[in-house]
């Protein structure tokens, strides 16, 4: 990935995204056999840890997602959303189009794998209503079986972004005095508290945004608290709004996922805006590249891993070292497929969406006027 000179690079964000994406791939390799089952005697502790705890890396994506949502939607904690419908629609298109392309790959991978092995990780051929529910990002809400691992997260990401957009729009519409910029952080902190103390403690809510808003909102608060232009007292208050309710919620009911989210939020508060010392080094080039393709890797790794699992189940012996080699092949193939998907699917769709957005100057001018009103 080429980085232009002078561009501010949030190196820690890229590092977190790149690392979390790898953990998710490895978690699914450990969770969905059969290669992991056969390779377990070689590295039982590692596979068991990835199986049980690797999914906590999702908390990194949630907190980082909130951090970047605040940066994009309300960088100075002002309610700057004038057209929530248009903002939500753009987010939906940006997520849904590559997601559906990945779902089609998953359907094809399941059809191929079905001829080589029988396993619970293989989905049945989808119905029209199931496909429609996926296209609407409502498959979990409507009770349909997911066609790919991680499909739930794409739907939740959209819900969280939509909820955040509506909160910011509502704050601007009903808050009264515009320059009281504490209204938005307080509103977000209240929603974080509701999530941590109620919704996140009830698994029945785990298909809805309020269940996850605790982690997402911590990322938003971390962005506002880390603003170098903010007065120290204001930053300390925002940090307290982030940390204290979370610690109380953890004391009430400890959840490792929330503890991880709090740690990530605190790290982002301290280091999230720091520029890279040398963004052109080979190490950072690799990190930036892995971060750039992280969403694509997240989308396509499951069908890739499914096909490799099926191939090694059908054509390779059950020897532990050979199956462990298959896991490594699946991991590398997921990265290669993610890079290809990023170049040929995610990027072209992103450029198309950008072109459509830029073709609406009237809407842009209204958004700019709204933003300037808060400065």
């Amino acid at each position: 990935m080429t980085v232009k000179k002078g561009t501010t690079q949030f190196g820690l964000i890229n590092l977190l995204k790149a690392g979390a994406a790898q953990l998710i791939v490895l978690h699914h390799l450990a969770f969905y056999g059969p290669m992991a089952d056969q390779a377990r005697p070689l590295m039982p502790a590692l596979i068991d840890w990835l199986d049980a705890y690797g999914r906590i890396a999702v908390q990194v994506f949630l907190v980082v997602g909130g951090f970047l949502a605040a940066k994009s939607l309300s960088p100075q904690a002002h309610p700057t959303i004038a057209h929530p419908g248009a903002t939500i629609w753009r987010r939906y298109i940006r997520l849904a189009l590559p997601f559906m392309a990945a779902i089609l790959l998953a359907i094809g991978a399941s059809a191929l794998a079905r001829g080589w092995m029988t396993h619970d990780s293989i989905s049945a051929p989808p119905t029209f209503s199931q496909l429609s529910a996926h296209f609407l990002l409502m498959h979990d809400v409507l009770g349909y079986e997911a066609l790919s691992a991680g499909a739930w997260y794409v739907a939740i990401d959209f819900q969280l972004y939509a909820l955040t957009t509506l909160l910011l729009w509502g704050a601007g519409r009903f808050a009264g005095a515009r320059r009281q910029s504490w209204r938005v952080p307080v509103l977000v902190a209240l929603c974080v508290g509701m999530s941590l103390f109620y919704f996140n403690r009830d698994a029945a809510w785990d298909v809805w945004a309020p269940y996850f808003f605790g982690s997402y909102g911590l990322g938003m608060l971390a962005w506002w608290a880390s603003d170098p232009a903010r007065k120290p007292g204001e930053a300390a208050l925002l940090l307290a709004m982030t940390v204290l309710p979370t610690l109380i919620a953890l004391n009430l009911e400890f959840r490792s996922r929330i503890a991880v989210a709090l740690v990530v939020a605190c790290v982002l508060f301290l280091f999230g805006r720091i520029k890279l010392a040398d963004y052109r080094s080979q190490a950072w080039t690799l990190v930036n590249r892995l971060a750039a393709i992280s969403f694509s890797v997240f989308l396509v790794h499951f069908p890739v891993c499914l096909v490799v699992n099926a191939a090694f189940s059908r054509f390779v012996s059950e020897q532990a070292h050979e199956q462990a080699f298959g896991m490594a092949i699946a991991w590398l193939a997921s990265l290669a497929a993610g890079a290809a998907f990023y170049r040929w699917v995610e990027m072209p769709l992103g450029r198309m969406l950008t072109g459509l957005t830029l073709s609406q100057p009237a809407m842009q001018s209204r958004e700019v006027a709204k933003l300037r009103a808060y400065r």
Side-chain angles (χ1 to χ4, degrees), residues 4 7 43 83 164 188 213 333 353:
K4 294 182 180 180
T7 301
M43 40 187 173
H83 304 280
T164 299
V188 170
F213 194 83
L353 179 60

Side-chain angles (χ1 to χ4, degrees), residues 208-288:
W208 294 102
Y211 183 89
F212 300 93
F213 194 83
S215 300
Y216 198 81
L218 289 178
M220 296 181 68
L221 292 169
W223 169 264
W224 293 323
S226 64
D227 186 353
R230 194 173 296 278
K231 296 178 180 179
E234 293 178 345
L237 179 59
L238 281 169
L239 185 61
M241 291 164 57
T242 303
V243 174
L244 293 181
T246 310
L247 291 178
I248 295 171
L250 289 173
N251 185 63
L252 182 65
E253 180 183 343
F254 183 80
R255 287 149 283 173
S256 57
R257 60 185 182 275
I258 301 303
V260 170
L262 177 60
V263 170
V264 174
C266 290
V267 170
L268 289 178
F269 164 74
L270 293 172
F271 307 110
R273 298 191 184 216
I274 293 179
K275 298 180 182 180
L276 301 182
D278 184 7
Y279 57 78
R280 290 165 292 187
S281 69
Q282 291 184 351
W284 279 116
T285 297
L286 176 61
V287 168
N288 292 335

Side-chain angles (χ1 to χ4, degrees), residues 292-307:
I293 66 173
S294 60
F295 182 58
S296 290
V297 170
F298 186 86
L299 288 177
V300 303
H301 77 275
F302 179 74
V304 171
C305 292
L306 182 61
V307 169

Side-chain angles (χ1 to χ4, degrees), residues 67-88:
F67 191 82
L68 296 178
K71 173 181 178 291
S72 172
L73 296 175
S74 182
Q76 296 173 331
H78 294 147
T80 55
I81 301 297
H83 304 280
T87 301
I88 293 171

Side-chain angles (χ1 to χ4, degrees), residues 30 40 43-54:
R40 182 169 273 105
M43 40 187 173
L46 176 60
I47 291 179
D48 288 345
W49 186 89
L50 290 171
D51 185 353
Y53 300 108

